[in-house]
């Protein structure tokens, strides 16, 4: 399965594309400047790695906890892509990712644990 992971809940904005055979990841500073060009950063990531949005079968989005702006922008974009391209969208919480190991999401998904089809932001206090 071809999975796009979008994670903007922490200090970095991370885009990752993971399949059974390959994996690509990039990160950017989680800043107001990068929020303004979030879609462009994602499109450059896809283009640089020769990934067509139509190839993506599932999007995983970090629901938080995190900052309001980071979560609202990343979740909104993930939902828009999911809706426009009819791609499955699932949410996860930061606590389930250790040391940037996004492959853990697939284990959780297989066990039907902690993966949520209802995407609801969790804001940090």
């Amino acid at each position: 399965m071809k999975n796009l992971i979008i994670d903007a809940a922490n200090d970095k904005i991370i885009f990752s594309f993971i399949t059974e055979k390959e994996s690509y990841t990039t990160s950017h500073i989680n800043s107001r400047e990068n929020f303004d060009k979030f879609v462009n950063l994602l499109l450059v990531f896809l283009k640089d790695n020769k990934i067509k949005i139509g190839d993506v079968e599932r999007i995983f989005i970090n629901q938080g906890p995190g900052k309001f702006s980071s979560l609202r922008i990343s979740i909104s974009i993930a939902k828009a892509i999911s809706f426009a391209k009819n791609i499955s969208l699932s949410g996860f919480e930061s606590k389930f990712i250790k040391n940037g190991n996004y492959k853990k999401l697939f284990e959780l998904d297989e066990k039907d644990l902690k993966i949520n089809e209802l995407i609801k932001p969790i804001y940090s206090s």
Side-chain angles (χ1 to χ4, degrees), residues 1-124:
M1 184 162 256
K2 298 174 182 176
N3 304 282
L4 175 63
I5 295 104
I6 300 173
D7 184 350
N10 299 300
D11 294 337
K12 294 193 181 258
I13 298 168
I14 298 172
F15 302 120
S16 189
F17 183 76
I18 301 173
T19 69
E20 295 83 12
K21 297 180 181 181
E22 57 192 354
S23 174
Y24 306 102
T25 301
T26 191
S27 65
H28 305 275
I29 296 170
N30 195 340
S31 67
R32 179 68 187 163
E33 179 182 310
N34 284 337
F35 297 157
D36 292 342
K37 55 184 180 179
F38 196 94
V39 172
N40 288 337
L41 294 173
L42 177 58
L43 293 175
V44 167
F45 167 73
L46 296 172
K47 182 180 177 184
D48 287 351
N49 293 293
K50 297 174 179 60
I51 302 163
K52 296 177 184 169
I53 198 68
D55 293 339
V56 175
E57 298 174 56
R58 187 161 195 181
I59 300 171
F60 288 92
I61 183 72
N62 192 337
Q63 300 173 175
K67 295 177 184 174
F68 180 83
S69 296
S70 302
L71 294 178
R72 295 304 294 176
I73 289 168
S74 61
I75 291 172
S76 296
I77 290 169
K79 284 183 174 184
I81 294 168
S82 170
F83 180 76
K85 296 295 186 176
N86 197 27
I87 299 170
S88 175
L89 177 65
S90 297
F92 65 94
E93 295 179 35
S94 296
K95 65 184 177 185
F96 298 113
I97 302 303
K98 303 291 185 223
N99 300 320
N101 182 11
Y102 291 101
K103 290 184 180 181
K104 182 74 171 170
L105 293 173
F106 311 131
E107 295 172 23
L108 293 171
D109 188 41
E110 287 173 8
K111 296 176 186 175
D112 207 26
L113 301 170
K114 309 302 178 194
I115 301 298
N116 188 354
E117 294 292 334
L118 175 63
I119 311 303
K120 185 176 177 184
I122 304 166
Y123 302 115
S124 55

